[in-house]
Amino acid sequence: MSAYNKTDAHPSTFILIGIPGLEAVHIWISIPFCVVYFLALLGNCSLLFIIKTDSSLHEPMYLFLCMLAVADLVVCTTAVPKLLSLFWFHDGEIRFEACLTQVFLIHSCSTMESGFFLAMAFDRYVAICKPLRHSAILTHSVIRGMGLAIVLRGIALLSPHPFLLYWLPYCSTNIISHTYCEFMALIKIACTETRIRKAYSLIVAFLTGGVDFVLIICSYVLILHTVFQLPSKEAQLKSLGTCGSHVCVILVSYTPAFFSFLTHRFGHHVAPHVHIFVANIYLLVPPMVNPIIYGVRTKRIWDRFLKFFSFPKPLD
């Protein structure tokens, strides 16, 4: 029996079908997805614990990193458990309200991640271009204010998304060709004009991720300009080394995000399974990679990690 009557404004449930065309190998795809999710949980929780318990790490870069870790945990935990339930138990049913909640959490926290990247880029700019004023500019109250502003921006700009979707009629189907509820995935199955909603989503994406990315590029142009004016090669390499982890994290996060965003709106010739697979990579890989990059490339975090997990030598 159909999950809803065609005269209803919207269904009581949606059906997620996973990755179209790859249903036969869902169980095999779930194995690396599960491993990556576990590593993301372990890495981000370890990072939060290490920074919280080591007062010497209570500096702007590491505090912004904690905020990023929390956003990463929310994003992947919102999507992955249901994804694994779908892959393992063929449980693709999700309630309408839960689907809209998933849309809000994934998109708002992804927007917050972008804001934290920008805040970290600003920290690197101040540390390299205005080193003597770093502690005076980025005080703890300023850091809290920046973090709060980023969170409120994500909530304010993305809160309309669930309501825009709630007021749409879904009279043709309740089947979503995706592994999780996404704004554009729901827009595509609505049976009414959605041009205004798409325009709002596009504007929000530009005002958040787009503007953030441009400002990050600008900050690194200024950083490079300052670095290449340093007198010695050693000083240049040391300054660039402090930015290496941040640049790697930005590339890992923004590349699949831009691919997924552009494919939804302009990539009509991209195979659905390719697009949805990359959309899952965007949710899974950055939360796993971020703590690894910062843990390995940041000596202070790595030393603290080794010290915490080292066993005391037995006495002779």
Side-chain angles (χ1 to χ4, degrees):
M1 180 177 286
S2 177
Y4 67 104
N5 192 299
K6 288 189 176 183
T7 59
D8 292 340
H10 55 71
S12 60
T13 61
F14 285 116
I15 305 296
L16 299 165
I17 67 169
I19 304 178
L22 298 180
E23 290 88 352
V25 293
H26 274 176
I27 192 68
W28 297 107
I29 297 174
S30 71
I31 296 173
F33 278 17
C34 183
V35 172
V36 169
Y37 177 55
F38 174 76
L39 292 175
L41 292 178
L42 180 63
N44 284 286
C45 289
S46 299
L47 197 64
L48 289 168
F49 177 79
I50 288 169
I51 295 174
K52 184 180 186 304
T53 56
D54 189 345
S55 58
S56 68
L57 294 175
H58 293 179
E59 297 177 2
M61 190 67 171
Y62 304 115
L63 295 176
F64 288 133
L65 184 57
C66 284
M67 299 176 195
L68 176 64
V70 172
D72 280 342
L73 287 171
V74 174
V75 167
C76 61
T77 301
T78 299
V80 177
K82 183 60 185 177
L83 180 152
L84 294 176
S85 176
L86 167 63
F87 283 4
W88 288 345
F89 310 113
H90 306 289
D91 178 22
E93 187 174 86
I94 181 170
R95 290 195 60 80
F96 184 77
E97 294 78 10
C99 188
L100 297 186
T101 302
Q102 199 177 59
V103 169
F104 170 71
L105 289 175
I106 289 174
H107 289 289
S108 62
C109 289
S110 296
T111 298
M112 294 174 200
E113 289 173 337
S114 177
F116 295 137
F117 287 137
L118 177 59
M120 294 162 80
F122 178 70
D123 169 75
R124 291 301 85 202
Y125 163 75
V126 175
I128 293 174
C129 300
K130 303 179 185 296
L132 299 179
R133 299 184 58 200
H134 184 261
S135 58
I137 293 174
L138 285 171
T139 62
H140 280 267
S141 60
V142 170
I143 293 168
R144 284 193 295 269
M146 291 174 66
L148 181 61
I150 291 167
V151 171
L152 292 178
R153 182 190 71 164
I155 293 173
L157 291 179
L158 276 300
S159 289
H161 274 50
F163 296 102
L164 293 174
L165 295 172
Y166 184 85
W167 293 325
L168 284 175
Y170 303 94
C171 49
S172 57
T173 183
N174 68 334
I175 296 175
I176 302 175
S177 298
H178 214 304
T179 55
Y180 59 89
C181 292
E182 192 180 45
F183 183 80
M184 287 300 296
L186 287 173
I187 285 288
K188 287 180 177 179
I189 64 171
C191 53
T192 189
E193 175 58 51
T194 58
R195 192 177 307 166
I196 295 176
R197 290 169 172 83
K198 288 180 182 178
Y200 177 79
S201 176
L202 191 65
I203 292 169
V204 168
F206 173 76
L207 291 176
T208 54
V211 172
D212 290 348
F213 187 71
V214 170
L215 292 176
I216 289 170
I217 295 296
C218 291
S219 71
Y220 273 98
V221 169
L222 295 173
I223 287 171
L224 290 174
H225 176 72
T226 301
V227 166
F228 289 126
Q229 287 184 331
L230 295 175
S232 69
K233 208 76 166 170
E234 183 181 350
Q236 292 176 2
L237 292 174
K238 184 177 179 181
S239 297
L240 289 174
T242 64
C243 301
S245 301
H246 188 228
V247 172
C248 292
V249 166
I250 288 173
L251 291 175
V252 168
S253 300
Y254 273 101
T255 303
F258 280 142
F259 178 87
S260 180
F261 175 81
L262 294 173
T263 301
H264 252 317
R265 289 158 178 82
F266 311 110
H268 303 298
H269 301 296
V270 177
H273 66 274
V274 173
H275 168 227
I276 293 172
F277 191 83
V278 173
N280 283 279
I281 294 297
Y282 165 64
L283 291 189
L284 282 164
V285 173
M288 178 197 73
V289 171
N290 293 350
I292 293 175
I293 291 175
Y294 276 100
V296 173
R297 290 185 58 90
T298 307
K299 187 176 186 300
R300 291 168 64 184
I301 294 179
W302 183 243
D303 289 345
R304 185 71 178 83
F305 180 84
L306 293 177
K307 181 180 178 181
F308 179 75
F309 286 100
S310 63
F311 296 98
K313 296 181 180 180
L315 297 174
D316 293 333

